[in-house]
Amino acid sequence: NAGVMQNPRHLVRRRGQEARLRCSPMKGHSHVYWYRQLPEEGLKFMVYLQKENIIDESGMPKERFSAEFPKEGPSILRIQQVVRGDSAAYFCASSPRGDRQSSYNSPLHFGNGTRLTVT
Amino acid sequence: GQNIDQPTEMTATEGAIVQINCTYQTSGFNGLFWYQQHAGEAPTFLSYNVLDGLEEKGRFSSFLSRSKGYSYLLLKELQMKDSASYLCAVRDPADYKLSFGAGTTVTVRA
């Protein structure tokens, strides 16, 4: 399967624990976007990363949330000291590149998401 | 800022046509995308418009008017499997991120 891979598919954490969500982009894609989706709501942008760089984190909460995309391995979205309000579906999407020539009409490709439940 | 509006719900009969409207007011524009999302699944790409006019792809068509900040997705010959949420999204020219509307839930009835 050459699609965007996210794991785990479902994650249950108690309040105060840490949640780590992983995303491996499609083969050949070097740009990763994380989105959060609450029930009955649309996808909300959180952060945009390239390898070893955070490009845009304007949608990330200022505290407890962090993201990385190391040179080797998947992108990680980390939520520390989770609270009930963090319960949501977290989607990762990838694209080949951000410049106009190579991705002019290329859509973002989404993974199946991680459904986080905080109890 | 980004403001993308679409109706919350629509219901139609199998075999019929449904048009989902989307209006947007965004700080930048580099294309408009439509995605389909079934409950509990990933959004999947349906169509892309960057120039004014109609793009047709099988039973699905999408229209864009940049001057009016308006798009629609047209679903023809509706099938039960078309019951899903349809998301309108505008791409930011600065970093290519997509800003999404809240989605329109389409229910197809027999």
Side-chain angles (χ1 to χ4, degrees):
Chain A
N1 186 347
V4 178
M5 302 301 293
Q6 288 189 250
N7 67 83
R9 189 74 189 269
H10 299 275
L11 182 62
V12 180
R13 284 288 179 266
R14 293 181 179 174
R15 279 180 297 171
Q17 291 185 318
E18 177 181 287
R20 291 171 69 88
L21 288 61
R22 295 174 183 76
C23 169
S24 295
M26 284 182 71
K27 187 176 181 179
H29 287 193
S30 57
H31 294 229
V32 166
Y33 302 76
W34 284 94
Y35 286 81
R36 176 165 61 178
Q37 187 173 40
L38 294 167
E40 310 303 323
E41 293 188 15
L43 292 156
K44 301 295 185 188
F45 168 77
M46 298 182 74
V47 63
Y48 163 42
L49 310 105
Q50 296 175 22
K51 287 281 187 182
E52 300 183 282
N53 277 310
I54 296 175
I55 307 302
D56 180 353
E57 56 182 347
S58 59
M60 286 277 273
K62 299 297 181 196
E63 299 177 350
R64 301 188 298 107
F65 284 72
S66 62
E68 63 176 6
F69 190 13
K71 187 176 181 180
E72 301 291 337
S75 175
I76 306 288
L77 179 66
R78 182 182 177 204
I79 312 172
Q80 296 178 290
Q81 299 174 332
V82 295
V83 300
R84 288 215 171 113
D86 297 333
S87 295
Y90 292 84
F91 288 94
C92 168
S94 71
S95 70
R97 290 184 62 181
D99 63 87
R100 293 178 185 276
Q101 283 78 20
S102 62
S103 60
Y104 179 67
N105 65 347
S106 177
L108 295 187
H109 298 268
F110 284 84
N112 283 325
T114 293
R115 278 140 190 88
L116 173 66
T117 302
V118 179
T119 62
Chain B
Q2 314 291 73
N3 188 21
I4 302 168
D5 290 316
Q6 49 183 131
T8 304
E9 294 180 332
M10 301 183 76
T11 302
T13 306
E14 196 174 14
I17 298 173
V18 69
Q19 177 174 315
I20 306 169
N21 296 323
C22 172
T23 58
Y24 63 90
Q25 292 174 304
T26 58
S27 55
F29 181 84
N30 186 249
L32 188 141
F33 292 77
W34 284 95
Y35 280 79
Q36 180 191 60
Q37 186 179 26
H38 286 99
E41 297 183 10
T44 54
F45 168 70
L46 287 179
S47 70
Y48 165 76
N49 296 72
V50 68
L51 300 176
D52 290 352
L54 188 68
E55 293 284 340
E56 297 187 84
K57 191 186 290 187
R59 293 189 299 114
F60 294 178
S61 304
S62 58
F63 172 83
L64 174 67
S65 169
R66 288 171 296 170
S67 63
K68 296 181 179 177
Y70 167 71
S71 172
Y72 68 72
L73 179 70
L74 195 68
L75 316 180
K76 301 178 221 174
E77 301 169 17
L78 281 171
Q79 302 175 10
M80 299 299 287
K81 68 178 181 179
D82 297 330
S83 292
S85 181
Y86 291 85
L87 311 175
C88 172
V90 173
R91 186 161 68 183
D92 186 316
D95 58 11
Y96 275 43
K97 71 174 182 278
L98 296 182
S99 295
F100 285 85
T104 300
T105 300
V106 171
T107 302
V108 180
R109 293 184 175 167

